[in-house]
């Protein structure tokens, strides 16, 4: 028998997928080994799930996959170090359902080819990601199991402190690479031109100050910018401009770019640019899920440099000449760059073509896309069920004064019944008390996170098409993929074709977010957390996970099958599909009902936490993955 294993890496993680050619009845899971190919040291990957149902959380360092087998065929190694060259081997495990377990030596796979977890995708392109408080189990371990309101508020305050372990972990490579970009530019004596939607993170502010007169900043109209930011930068000698498309200090229409261009000391000859979705705020770094893209291409960097000047010249307006210029892309080395606002949604047309032409898969993350034609096109492909589609749509519902009153999310998968697209998955962070698995740490609930202004959302904007093909594409930037962003905002949208390493890096990023949301959606819909202990049938040919496994094994993608056939649904038009896909808003309640609901929820949460603390020891201090700094 043979187990074929494939591994893919980005700057932060390695995803391992494996597929046996036979499935002996005695197999209950798998052991995963990682080999450091420099010193040949072999390490067993750990599981965070106990070996049998009904047990509580495992030790903070996890439990060896030899003692608690991995009961699936896809796994992400979060503990790999960026500088290591590593390979992986998978071996099937046998034994009773709850153990003890033994390896089936005849099943051991060959070692995968060596790879390095790196953001460098070649061709002058590099991608980096943060982790954000979506990793809510990590947050629980950082606060040593103290999930009180006071603990949460203290934790949020500490996230603004440079060097705080949770800040380093959650901000991850995104923070490190922004700082490194600025330090390298300063060391070379370069000039920078930046357009930043909002800024309040002191470490990033301080990193700009050494540029003095070599620093030029457009501060947008994001509401999170502290009043002290501009004066502090001006005092350091930087040239600070302001741009407000609302003309009234409001955050919409948004001056929404987040880019920095490096050019020579004279402020000419741009060489590279940093862009992506990451706001320069503590929440943008640590609580939202974001990405950073670095492009070393003089033509593309030069277009960003020119755009900076056009934005300054436009003041607080969006003149017709700027929209016309924005609508014409700059193309170089398989990179296309658009700016918004545009005429007639010009930047959407090539993306729609990519979605329509996808042959293997489409993965995506969207934040507040509204009735986006891009979302509509992706939903159409998911309904056609002829490629692998996975995505998350993240939303926020603000009140009139701008306070966030609800956070929602949708998970989208190929072949799922149409009604699944309308589910409002109100579980972007904590798991509710009634759905809490016995083996998970107690988490902060969503309402508590809202009360502390710690909004755990997917803020990345990314679409990946056919990541294993030479015709792959990555679409990202600051653009929310919404019609309003296309018509009204300052935005940038980058399309990169043909770079499989970059496409796979973004695919891993998206897959991790999707897994988080889909698991909580499963629990929220009454799913049994202990289903992971059931036989491995779902991963076998024709099983519920077969399409997912075939995708990551780069095999032909069969249509997704379901245990029950959904009722026939008349296919809507793309515009109608996008409209129907818009997240369902929470029903309005009277003030009294809201207060009563909140009180009841708080009482249930308090009771649950009290019982949890009595029934198990407080977790030890986290030994989570160390920062790579």
């Amino acid at each position: 028998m043979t187990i074929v294993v494939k591994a893919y890496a980005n700057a932060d993680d390695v995803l391992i997928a494996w597929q046996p050619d036979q499935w002996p009845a005695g197999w209950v899971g798998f052991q995963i080994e990682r080999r450091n190919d420099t010193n040949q040291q072999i390490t067993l990957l750990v599981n965070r799930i106990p070996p049998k149902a009904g047990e509580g959380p495992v030790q903070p360092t996890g439990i060896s996959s030899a003692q608690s087998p991995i009961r699936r065929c896809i796994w992400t190694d979060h503990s790999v170090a960026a500088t290591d060259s590593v390979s992986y081997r998978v071996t099937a495990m046998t034994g009773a359902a709850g153990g003890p377990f033994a390896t089936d030596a005849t099943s051991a796979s060959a070692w995968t080819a060596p790879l390095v977890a790196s953001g460098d995708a070649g061709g002058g392109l590099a991608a980096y990601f943060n982790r954000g408080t979506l990793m809510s189990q990590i947050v629980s371990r950082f606060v040593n199991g103290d999930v009180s309101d006071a603990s949460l508020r203290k934790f949020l305050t500490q996230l603004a402190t440079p060097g705080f372990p949770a800040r380093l972990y959650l901000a991850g490579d995104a923070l490190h690479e922004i700082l490194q970009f600025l330090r390298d530019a300063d060391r070379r004596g370069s000039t920078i031109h930046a357009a930043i939607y909002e800024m309040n993170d002191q470490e990033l502010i301080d990193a700009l100050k050494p540029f003095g007169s070599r620093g030029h900043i457009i501060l947008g109209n994001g509401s999170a910018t502290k009043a002290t930011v501009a004066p502090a930068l001006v005092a350091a000698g930087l040239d600070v401009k302001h741009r407000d498309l609302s003309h009234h200090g409001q955050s919409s229409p948004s001056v929404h770019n987040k880019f920095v261009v490096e050019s020579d000391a004279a402020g000419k000859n741009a060489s590279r640019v940093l862009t992506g979705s990451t706001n320069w705020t503590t929440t943008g770094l640590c609580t939202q899920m974001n990405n950073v893209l670095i492009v070393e291409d003089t033509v593309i960097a030069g277009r960003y440099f020119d755009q900076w000047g056009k934005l300054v010249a436009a003041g607080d307006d969006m003149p017709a000449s700027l929209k016309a210029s924005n609508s014409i892309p700059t193309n170089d080395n398989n990179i296309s760059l658009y700016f918004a606002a545009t005429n007639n949604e010009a930047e959407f047309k090539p993306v729609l073509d990519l979605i329509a032409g996808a042959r293997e898969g489409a993965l995506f993350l969207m934040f507040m896309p509204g009735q986006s034609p891009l979302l509509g096109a992706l939903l159409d492909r998911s309904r056609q069920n002829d490629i692998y589609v996975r995505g998350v749509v993240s939303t926020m519902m603000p009140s009139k004064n701008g306070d966030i009153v609800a956070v929602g999310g949708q998970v989208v998968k190929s072949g799922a019944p149409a009604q699944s697209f309308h589910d409002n998955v109100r579980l972007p962070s904590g798991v509710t008390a009634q759905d809490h698995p016995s083996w998970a740490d107690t988490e902060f609930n969503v309402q508590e996170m809202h009360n502390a202004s710690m909004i755990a959302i997917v803020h990345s904007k990314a679409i990946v098409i056919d990541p294993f093909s030479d015709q792959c594409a990555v679409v990202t930037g600051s653009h929310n993929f919404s019609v309003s962003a296309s018509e009204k905002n300052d935005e940038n949208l980058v399309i990169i074709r043909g770079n499989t390493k970059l496409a796979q890096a973004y695919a891993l990023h998206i897959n991790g977010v999707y897994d988080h949301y889909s698991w909580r959606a499963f629990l929220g819909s009454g799913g049994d957390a202990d289903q992971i202990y059931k036989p491995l049938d779902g991963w076998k040919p024709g099983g519920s996970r077969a399409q997912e496994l075939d995708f990551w094994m780069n095999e032909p993608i069969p249509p997704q099958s379901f245990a029950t056939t959904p009722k026939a649904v008349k296919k809507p038009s793309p515009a109608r599909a996008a409209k129907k896909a818009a997240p369902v808003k929470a029903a309005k309640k009277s003030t009294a009902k809201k207060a009563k609901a909140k009180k009841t929820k708080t009482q249930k949460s308090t009771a649950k936490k009290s019982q949890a603390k009595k029934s198990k020891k407080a977790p030890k201090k986290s030994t989570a993955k160390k920062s790579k700094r």
Side-chain angles (χ1 to χ4, degrees):
M1 68 188 70
T2 303
I3 297 179
V4 178
V5 186
K6 295 196 175 184
Y8 311 94
N10 62 20
D12 201 42
D13 297 319
V14 175
L15 184 146
I16 309 108
W18 58 94
Q19 192 169 51
D21 63 351
Q22 300 177 41
W23 287 88
W27 286 3
V28 295
F30 301 91
Q31 168 189 281
I32 307 177
E33 298 169 278
R34 181 181 67 219
R35 183 180 67 194
N36 183 316
D37 291 309
T38 302
N39 59 23
Q40 300 302 303
Q41 181 179 355
I42 296 175
T43 304
L44 280 172
L45 295 194
V46 300
N47 199 347
R48 297 211 63 87
I49 310 300
K52 60 183 178 181
E55 296 186 334
V58 302
Q59 59 203 21
T61 53
I63 182 170
S64 163
S65 55
Q67 297 173 297
S68 181
I70 307 298
R71 301 171 190 259
R72 50 185 294 152
C73 292
I74 296 175
W75 194 254
T76 300
D77 182 6
H78 297 296
S79 62
V80 63
T83 56
D84 292 342
S85 173
V86 294
S87 301
Y88 294 85
R89 180 169 66 185
V90 173
T91 306
M93 304 293 289
T94 62
F101 307 101
T103 58
D104 179 353
T106 64
S107 72
S109 74
W111 289 96
T112 63
L115 78 168
V116 177
S118 169
D120 184 3
L125 298 165
Y128 303 95
F129 310 95
N130 72 341
R131 301 186 179 101
T133 50
L134 282 179
M135 298 190 69
S136 40
Q137 286 283 295
I138 286 290
V139 175
S140 296
R141 293 194 283 278
F142 271 121
V143 298
N144 296 319
D146 180 1
V147 291
S148 64
D149 288 343
S151 171
L152 179 59
R153 293 180 186 280
K154 179 181 178 182
F155 178 77
L156 183 60
T157 300
Q158 291 173 317
L159 286 179
T161 305
F164 180 54
R167 172 185 170 87
L168 291 175
Y169 185 89
L170 296 172
D173 294 302
L175 171 61
H176 179 264
E177 295 303 324
I178 294 173
L179 292 173
Q180 193 64 47
F181 185 97
L182 296 175
R183 288 166 183 159
D184 287 346
D186 181 43
R187 176 176 51 82
R188 287 189 281 262
S190 298
T191 298
I192 60 168
H193 290 78
I196 307 295
Y197 173 56
E198 55 189 7
M199 185 188 305
N200 67 24
D201 189 80
Q202 193 60 51
E203 188 170 16
L204 294 183
I205 295 167
D206 290 341
L208 291 168
K209 292 178 180 179
F211 287 92
S213 61
R214 292 180 290 117
H216 306 270
I217 312 292
I218 297 174
L219 281 179
N221 54 342
S223 59
T225 301
K226 293 181 179 178
T228 57
V229 172
L233 293 176
V234 170
L238 281 82
D239 170 32
V240 179
K241 310 289 186 184
H242 296 271
R243 179 164 162 82
D244 178 8
L245 288 172
S246 77
H247 292 207
H248 299 291
Q250 298 175 356
S251 59
S252 182
S254 298
V255 179
H256 199 239
N257 283 303
K258 314 100 172 31
F259 70 75
V260 185
V261 184
E262 179 183 356
S263 56
D264 60 23
K268 300 178 181 178
N269 302 316
S271 58
R272 63 177 187 151
V273 61
L274 179 149
T275 185
S277 67
T278 307
N279 286 324
W280 287 37
T281 62
T282 300
T283 55
L285 291 169
C286 298
T287 74
Q288 302 169 359
M289 193 66 76
N290 277 305
N291 75 86
V292 169
L293 175 69
I294 297 175
V295 182
E296 295 194 27
D297 181 288
T298 56
V299 173
I300 298 300
R303 175 67 191 277
Y304 274 97
F305 179 86
D306 291 343
Q307 185 72 9
W308 193 93
K310 291 176 181 178
L311 295 177
V312 170
D316 290 338
D317 298 321
M318 182 68 73
S321 58
L322 181 58
K323 293 188 74 171
S325 171
N326 290 346
S327 303
I328 302 172
T330 295
N331 298 296
D332 193 60
N333 289 330
N334 290 322
I335 304 171
S336 299
L337 170 63
Y338 286 85
F339 289 95
T342 62
N343 293 318
N344 303 314
E345 300 170 0
E347 74 276 36
F348 288 168
K349 294 175 183 177
V351 185
L352 289 170
D353 289 342
L354 287 169
I355 295 170
R359 296 188 176 185
E360 302 169 355
L363 301 93
F364 64 94
L365 300 176
M366 291 187 176
F367 175 69
M368 301 287 285
Q371 297 178 32
S372 168
L374 302 187
L375 177 58
L378 287 162
L379 292 180
D380 274 351
R381 290 310 307 264
S382 69
R383 291 188 186 92
Q384 290 171 20
N385 198 19
D386 59 347
I387 62 170
Y388 178 82
V389 179
R390 293 293 186 275
V392 174
V393 180
S394 187
T395 61
M396 297 193 309
M397 292 172 55
S399 63
K400 290 183 178 180
N401 63 5
D403 293 337
I404 304 303
V405 296
V407 173
Q410 294 168 279
V411 288
V412 176
K413 64 183 295 185
S414 42
Q419 58 265 29
S420 296
F421 303 136
H422 315 317
D423 291 346
N424 192 27
V425 184
R426 303 268 319 262
L427 297 167
S429 50
V431 175
T432 62
Q434 67 184 33
D435 301 321
H436 200 273
S438 63
W439 37 261
D441 288 315
T442 304
E443 301 176 344
F444 295 109
N445 65 45
V446 175
Q447 189 60 52
E448 288 166 335
M449 298 185 85
H450 291 175
N451 292 344
S453 299
M454 190 163 79
I455 309 301
I457 58 172
V458 177
H459 192 255
S460 262
K461 309 95 169 46
I463 300 172
V464 177
I465 303 296
D466 295 346
F468 310 113
S469 164
D470 290 340
Q471 284 71 51
C472 66
V474 174
V475 184
T476 190
S478 70
H479 206 304
N480 282 342
F481 302 140
S482 67
V483 172
S484 60
S486 179
E487 292 178 345
K488 301 175 182 178
N489 289 356
D490 281 351
E491 304 280 7
N492 67 89
L493 185 142
V494 188
I495 305 171
I496 301 163
R497 296 174 172 85
N499 189 314
T500 55
K501 189 170 182 180
L502 185 78
Q504 290 164 19
Y506 271 91
L508 263 66
H509 171 62
I510 296 169
N511 183 73
V513 177
Y514 177 86
D515 276 356
H516 176 93
Y517 271 82
S518 63
W519 174 244
R520 278 151 172 77
F522 172 77
L523 295 178
S525 62
D528 178 12
D530 289 335
Q531 60 87 27
I532 60 171
Y533 296 103
K534 294 180 180 179
L536 297 164
D537 293 348
W539 297 96
K540 299 177 182 179
S544 61
R545 309 299 293 270
Q547 189 192 57
E548 178 182 5
L549 183 56
D550 285 336
F551 174 75
W552 289 105
M553 295 302 296
N554 195 17
E555 299 286 345
I557 305 298
Q560 178 66 60
S561 59
F562 293 88
T564 58
T565 303
K567 295 180 180 179
V569 179
K570 183 178 179 181
K571 182 179 176 180
S573 66
R576 176 68 173 166
K579 183 177 180 180
K580 290 174 72 63
V584 180
K585 293 186 177 181
K588 294 182 179 180
K589 300 180 181 179
S590 67
T591 303
K593 286 185 178 180
K594 284 182 178 179
K596 182 178 179 180
K598 182 176 180 180
K599 181 178 179 181
T600 301
K601 185 173 184 179
T602 302
Q603 289 172 340
K604 288 182 178 180
S605 176
T606 302
K608 161 66 183 175
K609 291 174 184 175
S610 176
Q611 180 62 33
K613 290 176 182 178
K614 290 178 181 178
S615 62
K616 65 181 181 72
K617 295 180 181 180
K620 296 179 182 179
K621 185 176 181 179
S622 169
T623 54
K625 177 181 177 183
K626 295 180 180 179
S627 169
K628 305 175 205 166
R629 304 332 142 220

